[in-house]
Amino acid sequence: MRGATRARWAACAVAVALAATACGGGDDSGGGGADGIVSSSWGDPQNPLEPANTNEVQGGKVLDMVFRGLKRYDPKTGAATDMLAEKIATTDSQNFTITVKDGWTFSNGEKITAKSFVDAWNYGAALKNNQKNAYFFQYIDGYDKVHPASGKAGTDTLAGLKIVNEMTFTAKLSQKFSLWPDTLGYPAFAPLPKQFFTDHAGWLSKPVGNGPYTIDKYAKGSSMNLRKWDKYPGDDKAQNGGIDLKVYTDNNTAYTDLTAGNLDLVDDVPASQLKNVKADLGGRYINTPAGIIQTIAFPFYEKAWNTPDGAKVRQGLSMAINREQITNQIFQKTRTPASDWTSPVLGADGGFKKGLCGKECTYDKAAAKKLIQDGGGIPGGQLKISYNADTGSHKEWVDAVCNSINNVMGNNKACVGGPVGTFADFRSQVSQQKLSGAWRAGWQMDYPLIQNFLQPVYYTNAPSNDGKWSDKKFDDLVDQANAETDKAKAVSTFQDAERILVQQMPVIPLWYQNGSAGYSDRVSNVALNSFSVPVYEEIKVK
Amino acid sequence: MGRYVIRRLLQMIPVFFGTTLLIFLMVNVMGDPIAGLCGDRQCDPATAAQLRSEFGLDKPVWQQYLTYMGNVFTGDFGTAFNGQPVTELMATAFPITIRLTIIAIAFEVVIGISLGVVTGLRRGRPIDTTVLILTLVVISIPTFVTGLLLQLLLGVEWGIIKPSVSPEAPVNELLIPGLVLASVSLAYVTRLTRTSIAENARADYVRTAVAKGLPRRRVVVRHLLRNSLIPVVTFIGTDVGALMGGAIVTERIFNIHGVGYQLYQGILRQNSQTVVGFVTVLVLVFLAANLIVDLLYAVLDPRIRYA
């Protein structure tokens, strides 16, 4: 009976394997449906879900639902309006007194006081906590002590923050910054409950905030169920019963689920489906500007690019790009040709000025060629535009831009693309100044302010000034604008600074990116805010 | 047989260290993963430096490898960039992929072998030709085409299945993805079985069995099939590892949060802890599957002995 025993042995092995996988099931929770729950696509957040540690849209989506800060950006206009702030007062644009509105609590019942903010900001700024958005607190006095550029931090609390009484605190900035209160709508400035500090792991597995939704269930990496918080004290109460976020491995699958009626909302329509979107969804497709601009940046740390006549070459290259045609054909009108260095979401009052760049950003074959030749030609005889090839279909548009430039120059090799394997590798080459040619760049705003589109990217040695461009006049104008107490005056001074970018063309503005979303016929009142995140609390279920 | 197993297990050790070292080096040459964590902006240098030291990325690669392997033996696979321990990711991803793999293997065994037996016994008949053409079609179409097509037809057009699998991935939702994942291997299993059966059908021992007057069923199952299964078992065994690692495409199409998804994310985000951890486990699975296949030979053919 040798055979029989052996057979039994094999059967046992299979049985063990099966038991190990515990043929699981679990109830069916997809699809939404009951109680006005909206199901929506989601991506796995890249960083732990902490307000000062979330710098990408997927985590930001959740923070937007479970947190409210001192200010809030109006979903339609992008203007910063008071939320938890009773009053933010200043006389010199440097010392601010902030009064928190009474009557707000976290969803666990804890009262929100000045301390909830001061503790949260100190946590966010402290180097030891590794918060990726720590730089948001850089304007507060004492930031260089809690977050030195190198070495150990001397202290963990910002000297510039002082609690006056239960509901009031003061913030002293290290420089004048009149628009600073308007930055406080960013999630990094959200208040945090005591549990965050006492039971950090517990909080991370189920974050508690003060927004219109509470987190009901969070399965990391796969789904999050948010439910309406009935006792939410704000005016922007949720209009639906809750949101079920579902992580998709591929946004094409999310789109397929939407067309099959298995999902209510997709906030990132894949580029390959843009051709079908009208036929599939009809009017249930949104395509609105977001606070993102894409550009081509140059290495000013390289001698060849940092020449007195270089500006002419860069202007010429800008004029050699047929933005209209590329946005129409490659992006199916989900991008808008750029004519300044900000974004339409700012609105005219906020500093967006259509056509500020003028003819320097308009396609003109003859003028482009002449300018490039007057400036001494492309350094090295060839423009190489580096990009990361792993995501975002950058290859297509870089090739198209090069094609456009090559046409103007009448030379097939005037411009070539330079693919880099992964985004991380691309970013490390950019940040370590390893690229000797141009590269694709982009800027997604942190808050809808013209300051945010200019200072972090073009100010001398600013954190995102990867090309190391520097211009004294530009810096002076930015300082002047920040010191201005009158908002309109500040904005127009920023625009004066922007005009220097036209003359110098440190980066070529390409186009403003739009946010795109599609939704099912079960829901209505769907809109994207200026960060291209759906305004979840306003969605109504039919 | 005991000595054979021990020898095989000992052979696994250098293979294990070799593969993990290779993966470790490959992930490390791709550049600085921290640079990709802050999106299109530069991470502030102080935070980046601190993250680097926290993940041990500031040390030389050999030292990183030694520390990593040391930790692995205590069951610590490190932490992914989103703050989750890699073991936690494995605990959610592996059961799902194993479930999917078992379904795929079941399809291969049941459908593949039955079709193979039927066609092998009826060589040259219309059914044989039909199945041969069908398997040729399946082999020549890439998995992602079959997957997307079935998803579109069954999920969107006819509404028989949901186009995407829910996070819990119950067995009934995994049937179609499992079939897609199995499709190409299934065709190979059919063809392998067919050839093997057709060849052995003319063997002396089958003629003897028939001559003894054994019932046809017994001849086919006990004598013919058992002897013809050896190449098929080898194929299916090695396929276990290939299916688990190669599920990336299928998992992506049907939104299954299994091993393929985690590997894809890990590679995209250049998260060496995730990638090395998952590949290490996959290597072990592959080695174990191969060992089991070799041991199964003895079950199928008593003449095979291990010393």
Side-chain angles (χ1 to χ4, degrees), chain A residues 120-138:
Chain A
W121 294 7
N122 277 328
Y123 182 90
L127 177 59
K128 62 167 183 179
N129 297 323
N130 287 341
Q131 303 287 294
K132 289 175 197 81
N133 286 343
Y135 65 91
F136 275 92
F137 305 98
Q138 63 184 324

Side-chain angles (χ1 to χ4, degrees), chain A residues 72-358:
Chain A
R72 174 142 212 269
Y73 302 116
D74 188 284
K76 284 197 187 71
T77 63
T81 52
D82 284 346
M83 196 77 208
L84 266 72
E86 179 81 49
K87 184 164 93 220
I88 301 177
T90 181
T91 49
D92 58 357
S93 295
Q94 190 162 8
N95 288 286
F96 294 86
T97 307
I98 299 152
T99 317
V100 183
K101 263 186 206 157
D102 215 354
W104 280 75
T105 61
F106 292 101
S107 59
N108 61 7
E110 187 187 325
K111 189 173 171 17
I112 298 174
T113 63
K115 194 173 176 338
S116 318
F117 283 97
V118 173
D119 285 352
W121 294 7
N122 277 328
Y123 182 90
L127 177 59
K128 62 167 183 179
N129 297 323
N130 287 341
Q131 303 287 294
K132 289 175 197 81
N133 286 343
Y135 65 91
F136 275 92
F137 305 98
Q138 63 184 324
Y139 299 105
I140 299 172
D141 194 37
Y143 178 77
D144 48 345
K145 297 277 183 315
V146 300
H147 200 114
S150 61
K152 276 208 160 60
T155 167
D156 289 339
T157 47
L158 289 158
L161 293 180
K162 294 237 161 51
I163 297 178
V164 177
N165 58 41
E166 196 191 12
M167 303 311 276
T168 315
F169 66 104
T170 57
K172 179 175 187 277
L173 306 188
S174 49
Q175 62 176 87
K176 283 177 187 278
F177 186 3
S178 58
L179 297 180
W180 183 72
D182 285 1
T183 68
L184 299 178
Y186 195 77
F189 293 101
L192 286 168
K194 287 197 188 80
Q195 192 212 348
F196 181 86
F197 306 101
T198 53
D199 174 21
H200 193 67
W203 190 91
L204 276 183
S205 63
K206 198 173 166 183
V208 172
N210 64 330
Y213 292 98
T214 58
I215 293 170
D216 185 43
K217 215 164 79 187
Y218 179 21
K220 274 189 188 163
S222 59
S223 66
M224 181 186 273
N225 299 345
L226 295 120
R227 291 295 169 265
K228 180 182 180 177
W229 179 29
D230 289 325
K231 289 190 197 140
Y232 175 67
D235 298 330
D236 51 342
K237 282 192 198 319
Q239 310 283 309
N240 47 56
I243 309 286
D244 281 350
L245 295 176
K246 199 172 159 193
V247 170
Y248 279 89
T249 52
D250 184 350
N251 57 2
N252 274 299
T253 314
Y255 185 81
T256 311
D257 250 1
L258 175 70
T259 51
N262 205 14
L263 187 73
D264 293 325
L265 176 63
V266 169
D267 64 351
D268 179 22
V269 176
S272 53
Q273 302 285 1
L274 287 173
K275 292 188 293 289
N276 318 327
V277 79
K278 280 265 154 57
D280 289 343
L281 301 174
R284 292 177 279 113
Y285 168 63
I286 311 173
N287 179 21
T288 49
I292 305 170
I293 182 169
Q294 288 198 310
T295 57
I296 293 176
F298 299 97
F300 289 92
Y301 47 80
E302 287 278 325
K303 265 213 185 90
W305 281 102
N306 202 359
T307 58
D309 275 344
K312 281 186 187 163
V313 179
R314 296 189 295 274
Q315 284 174 337
L317 288 171
S318 167
M319 293 168 82
I321 299 167
N322 193 342
R323 296 174 177 76
E324 201 73 42
Q325 193 184 30
I326 295 171
T327 49
N328 281 351
Q329 291 183 356
I330 294 187
F331 294 118
Q332 309 276 340
K333 298 198 173 159
T334 57
R335 312 273 149 114
T336 313
S339 58
D340 79 340
W341 282 262
T342 65
S343 161
V345 298
L346 294 180
D349 292 342
F352 169 66
K353 185 151 193 175
K354 194 176 174 180
L356 182 135
C357 180

Side-chain angles (χ1 to χ4, degrees), chain B residues 24-252:
Chain B
F24 211 85
L25 292 177
M26 278 188 233
V27 176
N28 268 283
V29 295
M30 293 203 301
D32 177 15
I34 301 294
L37 279 185
C38 295
D40 262 331
R41 69 179 78 234
Q42 200 167 325
C43 283
D44 91 84
T47 310
Q50 186 150 326
L51 283 170
R52 227 168 263 137
S53 81
E54 200 174 287
F55 288 109
L57 294 166
D58 51 348
K59 304 221 170 59
V61 178
W62 63 267
Q63 208 174 331
Q64 286 182 41
Y65 178 72
L66 286 185
T67 327
Y68 182 82
M69 287 320 279
N71 288 339
V72 164
F73 283 105
T74 58
D76 175 11
F77 281 85
T79 314
F81 286 152
N82 68 356
Q84 264 184 295
V86 174
T87 41
E88 208 177 293
L89 295 178
M90 288 180 182
T92 52
F94 269 102
I96 295 176
T97 299
I98 292 175
R99 209 142 62 215
L100 183 66
T101 311
I102 289 177
I103 292 171
I105 298 277
F107 274 121
E108 282 180 28
V109 170
V110 176
I111 303 182
I113 295 183
S114 339
L115 279 181
V117 172
V118 171
T119 50
L121 292 175
R122 291 180 176 71
R123 265 199 318 159
R125 308 266 186 84
I127 180 149
D128 181 35
T129 325
T130 319
V131 171
L132 273 182
I133 292 171
L134 275 180
T135 52
L136 188 68
V137 170
V138 171
I139 290 170
S140 54
I141 299 176
T143 324
F144 70 90
V145 176
T146 335
L148 286 172
L149 202 67
L150 281 179
Q151 185 187 41
L152 186 70
L153 289 179
L154 298 176
V156 182
E157 297 296 323
W158 302 331
I160 300 170
I161 59 160
K162 280 187 189 168
S164 69
V165 172
S166 55
E168 297 84 16
V171 171
N172 59 338
E173 288 185 22
L174 288 179
L175 287 179
I176 298 296
L179 185 62
V180 170
L181 180 61
S183 59
V184 173
S185 301
L186 194 152
Y188 281 120
V189 168
T190 308
R191 293 187 150 219
L192 261 175
T193 316
R194 173 189 174 272
T195 318
S196 191
I197 290 266
E199 206 171 287
N200 287 336
R202 282 171 300 190
D204 292 343
Y205 63 88
V206 174
R207 209 172 47 197
T208 314
V210 175
K212 275 201 295 190
L214 288 179
R216 185 174 157 78
R217 219 186 116 74
R218 198 171 159 79
V219 174
V220 171
V221 175
R222 291 293 298 190
H223 297 258
L224 180 54
L225 185 58
R226 191 166 152 179
N227 279 293
S228 310
L229 275 186
I230 287 186
V232 180
V233 165
T234 317
F235 178 80
I236 292 177
T238 47
D239 210 33
V240 172
L243 285 178
M244 287 191 84
I248 293 182
V249 175
T250 317
E251 289 192 355
R252 222 171 125 73

